[in-house]
Amino acid sequence: MNRKIRIGIHGCGRGQDFIRILGLLTDKAEIVALCENREKTLAKAKELCADNPQTFTDFDEFIHCDMDGVILCNFFHEHVPYAVKAMELGIAVLSETTAA
């Protein structure tokens, strides 16, 4: 692949670890969108990004951002409906918790 993988992160509290990891892979991936319902947490996560991602508080708006994959870092018991929405749009999903 000649272009960077475009990643979205849903859940910016726990997602900050993934932001830091992806910060080491700036030649291979870019964070294009963040989604979090807590404004302070969202702002802090955006500050950690090497890229300038779009920010959202609504998943249904976030998931329509042009991304190749989404990392779900929200509460584990909420992953399934978000994963299904993403996969129905052809977006790859990484769930950061064990399937429940």
Side-chain angles (χ1 to χ4, degrees):
M1 180 182 291
N2 293 333
R3 67 174 179 86
K4 293 181 181 184
I5 297 172
R6 298 170 53 84
I7 302 292
I9 297 177
H10 176 55
C12 294
R14 294 166 62 124
Q16 290 178 31
D17 289 333
F18 285 95
I19 292 170
R20 289 181 185 95
I21 292 166
L22 289 169
L24 301 173
L25 302 170
T26 56
D27 60 325
K28 305 217 182 291
E30 67 179 310
I31 300 171
V32 296
L34 301 171
C35 185
E36 171 63 53
N37 61 4
R38 298 170 295 173
E39 292 286 343
K40 286 184 179 181
T41 304
L42 184 58
K44 182 178 178 186
K46 186 171 182 172
E47 287 177 11
L48 295 174
C49 291
D51 307 303
N52 187 26
Q54 292 181 286
T55 57
F56 300 88
T57 57
D58 181 87
F59 184 85
D60 291 327
E61 293 175 14
F62 158 79
I63 202 62
H64 289 285
C65 189
D66 185 25
M67 64 181 83
D68 302 309
V70 63
I71 302 173
L72 299 177
C73 302
N74 56 310
F75 294 115
F76 78 94
H77 64 281
E78 298 175 344
H79 283 214
V80 172
Y82 294 122
V84 169
K85 285 182 181 186
M87 289 187 288
E88 286 177 342
L89 293 171
I91 299 169
V93 175
L94 178 114
S95 177
E96 57 91 41
T97 61
T98 306

